[in-house]
Amino acid sequence: MFAVHLVSFWFTKLKEDQIKKVDRFLYHMRLSDETLMDIMARFQAEMDKGLKKDTNPTASVKMLPTYVRSTPDGSEHGKFLALDLGGTNFRVLLVKIRSGRRRYVRMYNKIFAIPLEIMQGTGEELFDHIVECIAEFLDYMGIKGAPLPLGFTFSFPCKQDRIDKGTLVGWTKGFKATDCEGQDVVDMLREAIKRRNEFDLDIVAIVNDTVGTMMTCGYEDPDCEIGLIAGTGSNVCYMEEMKNIEFIDGDEGKMCINTEWGGFGDNDCLSDIQTQYDIHVDEKSLNPGKQRYEKMTSGMYLGEIVRQILIDLTKRGLLFRGQISERLRTKGIFETKFISQIESDRLALLQVRKILQQLGLDSTCDDSIIVKEVCGAVSTRAAKLCGAGLAAVVDKIRENRGLDYLKTTVGVDGTLYKLHPHFSRILEETVKKLSPQCDVTFILSEDGSGKGAALITAVAKRFHSQEEPDKN
């Protein structure tokens, strides 16, 4: 029962009519197993459309080929540079990989801020800033003259026709730099390096952070063939059979596909589960109508969904004595980290009230109970939606191979998965329930954006050397 779930023994129960009213508002956030199975089937249908030449342009799940043909085999070695651009911070790394019995990966890195005016300025300004950061790191490490191979983790949707070429499909996560969409970002980086005219770099691979996560975990676990990001953004990649990728030549072997699953639903195939709060958050975002699945599942948006629900409940007199504070009216004030904090406190309400007070919200114990329930409904739905998408991926791999039973591993990164007290458990339980013929292990990635980029670069160099004719 809702009341039993909400109320600690040392607090007065909420009034029954209040419980019913709140529960009615949260009803559409609660997805049944039947609905989740339907969403899983829809996602599989969008994956199939994305892999086919004729239907890819209209598929909401773009299924972008990465030209990563293998996970690590343990023979990777050498020194590599890695760049990591995916949020408000930018990292430059030197990665040393040793193979053999005493294999290891050692990393040295420096973090640089990307100011908002650069994120939303011109593309030239953004890449000049990136190169300035690289120059500072190379000086810092004393390696400015070393022609090291480089992997560029660029955590935005890119269309690739080579491993060292990536055309930006569209910005996400608050970036809006002009003159970048439709351009090859590797070329833009090379041009910025030329403009600075201090050093040159051997850019071997452009890497999505999801792929980097898979590769990092694949270095530790050979069964890892899926990468999942559940943090500020949300995405999945996996190893697909080449014969199923219609727009790529060749039928032998596998290639990693970056699904860009955040766009699932952009063709309105999820409109029946979108709530009024999802629609509002989407309409007020930087990219309305796009990344709709991501806007229901990722850390960048969950706090804002909660805020919209709290405003609605307050307007109806069910919260905060019907008084909407100026702080609650402020977009982005309810960060997703507050959801994790509110759901983490088992005894709950004193800590919840403290968090709400920090947000300028004068709450009663009953208010705190309701806020905690709202947070739980939003985060649980996000975890279950992610689980439905991931179940579709693991089941596709099983069907690709004609197996009755599949054992596989998912490499995971992202603050939502790592820091939220219940998200990972609910996601994993959902996958297990929806794909019972798959035994799925989850392992956390240790720096997929840095280590993974270096490993992809190393694997690409290995493939390149194997494909070169024997010079002897």
Side-chain angles (χ1 to χ4, degrees):
M1 280 282 294
F2 185 58
V4 174
H5 175 68
L6 282 178
V7 183
S8 176
F9 70 92
W10 45 285
F11 285 105
T12 307
K13 286 185 180 180
L14 292 170
K15 294 176 183 176
E16 192 172 340
D17 63 331
Q18 191 178 14
I19 293 167
K20 286 180 179 177
K21 287 176 182 176
V22 173
D23 202 32
R24 191 175 76 242
F25 280 104
L26 297 179
Y27 173 77
H28 294 294
M29 286 280 166
R30 299 193 171 102
L31 303 176
S32 67
D33 290 346
E34 291 76 18
T35 299
L36 291 170
M37 288 179 70
D38 187 31
I39 291 167
M40 175 182 170
R42 294 183 215 179
F43 188 77
Q44 284 179 321
E46 287 298 306
M47 290 173 75
D48 289 340
K49 281 174 67 177
L51 288 171
K52 289 184 169 56
K53 197 170 187 176
D54 292 341
T55 53
N56 174 272
T58 59
S60 67
V61 180
K62 287 305 179 188
M63 306 298 281
L64 304 175
T66 66
Y67 292 82
V68 172
R69 299 293 307 275
S70 169
T71 50
D73 67 2
S75 68
E76 295 77 21
H77 65 278
K79 292 181 183 179
F80 304 88
L81 280 175
L83 311 180
D84 175 17
L85 179 67
T88 54
N89 289 328
F90 170 65
R91 283 191 312 155
V92 189
L93 305 95
L94 175 65
V95 184
K96 297 180 181 180
I97 304 175
R98 175 173 169 170
S99 60
R101 290 178 62 189
R102 296 184 179 180
R103 67 179 190 164
Y104 64 71
V105 178
R106 289 180 184 158
M107 295 183 290
Y108 310 85
N109 74 92
K110 201 167 175 59
I111 299 172
F112 303 88
I114 304 282
L116 184 63
E117 61 268 23
I118 297 289
M119 289 170 63
Q120 299 184 5
T122 68
E124 190 170 298
E125 288 168 342
L126 173 63
F127 281 90
D128 282 346
H129 180 76
I130 286 170
V131 172
E132 185 179 329
C133 297
I134 296 169
E136 187 177 324
F137 178 78
L138 296 177
D139 280 336
Y140 174 74
M141 295 299 297
I143 54 172
K144 204 169 222 178
L148 298 177
L150 179 144
F152 182 15
T153 298
F154 186 77
S155 305
F156 304 93
C158 280
K159 202 166 264 186
Q160 292 184 250
D161 55 24
R162 289 196 331 228
I163 197 167
D164 64 345
K165 206 170 170 54
T167 301
L168 178 62
V169 175
W171 286 118
T172 59
K173 293 179 278 192
F175 276 72
K176 271 288 187 183
T178 59
D179 306 318
C180 293
E181 294 182 0
Q183 301 299 313
D184 178 7
V185 294
V186 176
D187 278 349
M188 294 188 78
L189 177 60
R190 287 186 176 124
E191 287 165 11
I193 291 169
K194 281 180 187 173
R195 281 196 297 273
R196 191 170 181 93
N197 198 28
E198 283 184 21
F199 55 86
D200 200 9
L201 295 171
D202 177 18
I203 305 171
V204 173
I206 181 167
V207 180
N208 181 274
D209 59 343
T210 320
V211 185
T213 293
M214 180 190 74
M215 295 294 275
T216 299
C217 295
Y219 188 71
E220 306 298 333
D221 181 350
D223 286 335
C224 183
E225 52 195 341
I226 302 167
L228 167 67
I229 299 290
T232 304
S234 182
N235 197 14
V236 154
C237 71
Y238 73 103
M239 297 302 293
E240 177 60 85
E241 308 295 320
M242 281 288 291
K243 63 186 179 184
N244 293 334
I245 312 170
E246 286 191 359
F247 43 82
I248 298 290
D249 292 335
D251 289 336
E252 297 299 317
K254 301 171 188 171
M255 180 180 288
C256 180
I257 290 291
N258 166 23
T259 66
E260 285 298 337
W261 79 358
F264 179 39
D266 289 1
N267 57 358
D268 294 324
C269 68
L270 292 179
S271 58
D272 58 320
I273 66 161
Q274 272 190 302
T275 66
Q276 65 189 36
Y277 312 112
D278 298 311
I279 292 167
H280 180 91
V281 169
D282 176 38
E283 288 175 346
K284 299 298 181 182
S285 68
L286 284 172
N287 54 347
K290 297 180 180 178
Q291 300 295 106
R292 290 182 183 174
Y293 183 66
E294 183 172 70
K295 286 170 183 169
M296 291 188 274
T297 57
S298 76
M300 186 165 186
Y301 302 98
L302 298 189
E304 187 61 13
I305 294 171
V306 167
R307 187 180 75 89
Q308 291 302 320
I309 297 172
L310 298 186
I311 287 173
D312 199 4
L313 291 172
T314 305
K315 284 179 179 176
R316 296 169 191 276
L318 296 169
L319 263 181
F320 308 132
R321 304 174 188 85
Q323 300 299 311
I324 302 175
S325 69
E326 281 307 308
R327 294 276 284 170
L328 189 58
R329 294 181 194 276
T330 306
K331 183 180 177 182
I333 196 68
F334 203 102
E335 298 175 43
T336 298
K337 69 178 181 181
F338 296 134
I339 297 177
S340 295
Q341 291 169 5
I342 286 168
E343 289 192 73
S344 293
D345 190 355
R346 289 183 182 179
L347 295 179
L349 303 185
L350 289 176
Q351 186 62 30
V352 174
R353 288 186 74 185
K354 191 174 179 181
I355 292 168
L356 294 175
Q357 283 168 0
Q358 290 171 0
L359 291 170
L361 303 172
D362 182 20
S363 66
T364 64
C365 291
D366 284 358
D367 290 336
S368 300
I369 291 170
I370 293 170
V371 170
K372 188 175 175 71
E373 185 66 12
V374 170
C375 290
V378 170
S379 65
T380 296
R381 184 189 68 157
K384 286 186 174 183
L385 282 172
C386 275
L390 188 57
V393 173
V394 297
D395 220 47
K396 186 178 194 318
I397 293 173
R398 182 186 63 78
E399 290 176 1
N400 279 350
R401 297 175 192 173
L403 300 173
D404 293 328
Y405 189 76
L406 173 73
K407 180 174 169 46
T408 191
T409 297
V410 179
V412 194
D413 203 353
T415 50
L416 199 55
Y417 185 93
K418 290 179 176 179
L419 300 182
H420 188 280
H422 312 300
F423 188 93
S424 60
R425 173 183 56 80
I426 295 167
L427 186 153
E428 291 169 20
E429 287 173 354
T430 303
V431 173
K432 188 174 182 180
K433 186 177 286 187
L434 298 183
S435 52
Q437 293 167 280
C438 301
D439 177 9
V440 184
T441 300
F442 292 80
I443 59 174
L444 289 174
S445 167
E446 293 181 27
D447 195 1
S449 297
K451 181 177 174 181
L455 285 165
I456 289 169
T457 303
V459 169
K461 292 291 269 187
R462 169 163 57 84
F463 259 79
H464 183 65
S465 65
Q466 288 170 353
E467 289 170 359
E468 281 184 339
D470 192 347
K471 294 177 182 177
N472 293 331

